[in-house]
Amino acid sequence: MTTGKVSRVLVALLVVALTWTTGQAFAATPAPDADRPLAARVVTYDASGAAEFVTAVHRGADAWNASVANVRLVPAQAGQRANVRVVADNGWPRAQRTSLGNGTVWMGRQAVNEGYNTVRIASHEFGHILGLPDVKPGPCSSLMSGSTGGISCTNQFPNAQERATVERYFAGSLLLAPAATTPHAPALAGR
């Protein structure tokens, strides 16, 4: 087998492995180009079922976007299938990750009725979708400590260890951004 054929087989195996582990295929990461910056993996979410928690969901996504570079949480466009579905219910908040960056988040009213911060809840549940487990008991400074941070805890940002873990999980999914970029609106505009 020639070196070129071996390389193509290895790239194909890499794409298959990424598909099995993340539920999505990615092209092999090209070498950085001075004219084209690296872009983060985009994980879309649909908050149309989040009822009164829509703003909190967007703010929770914004907290992650301000904290990590290798992944971006972006609202799905109309008609687009989202990686993450966010819904409101009367139970306790929870997330079910089906694969890295994919799953369902429930914004449970039970915790809100007990006084827990809605933005912290949303950010915490997105943390599960991004691959992080609960860290209980834990201090308020740990986003993944969840309810053990206490009712007075409003910290919506991951700590250094949580950020580093998510960056590592999504490090291999960077792709070159398109050569032409367009400016976008501030994070909370239009929400």
Side-chain angles (χ1 to χ4, degrees):
M1 207 184 267
T2 67
T3 305
K5 286 183 182 178
V6 170
S7 295
R8 286 191 296 275
V9 168
L10 290 175
V11 168
L13 289 173
L14 175 63
V15 169
V16 169
L18 286 172
T19 301
W20 287 342
T21 59
T22 66
Q24 295 181 339
F26 299 96
T29 305
D33 182 332
D35 295 334
R36 296 188 323 168
L38 290 175
R41 173 173 166 196
V42 173
V43 171
T44 57
Y45 65 90
D46 176 3
S48 64
E52 69 270 27
F53 304 116
V54 170
T55 299
V57 169
H58 291 311
R59 289 185 57 205
D62 290 341
W64 276 104
N65 292 339
S67 300
V68 295
N70 291 346
V71 63
R72 290 275 148 248
L73 295 167
V74 177
Q77 299 297 312
Q80 178 185 21
R81 183 173 178 204
N83 299 97
V84 182
R85 186 173 64 106
V86 184
V87 295
D89 76 356
N90 293 325
W92 193 258
R94 60 205 180 278
Q96 180 180 17
R97 182 170 50 93
T98 54
S99 62
L100 188 63
N102 296 284
T104 303
V105 166
W106 288 268
M107 293 292 295
R109 292 181 181 98
Q110 182 179 351
V112 176
N113 292 341
E114 290 181 21
Y116 290 96
N117 180 273
T118 58
V119 178
R120 178 173 167 84
I121 291 169
S123 187
H124 172 90
E125 299 306 336
F126 274 132
H128 289 309
I129 297 296
L130 299 177
L132 298 176
D134 282 322
V135 178
K136 294 184 179 185
C140 179
S141 60
S142 168
L143 175 63
M144 299 313 293
S145 69
S147 62
T148 63
I151 292 174
S152 63
C153 180
T154 61
N155 173 38
Q156 59 191 301
F157 295 96
N159 65 24
Q161 182 178 357
E162 294 161 341
R163 290 189 308 267
T165 300
V166 168
E167 292 285 46
R168 189 175 67 249
Y169 288 164
F170 288 90
S173 62
L174 292 176
L175 303 174
L176 283 179
T181 58
T182 56
H184 59 278
L188 293 176
R191 293 188 190 158

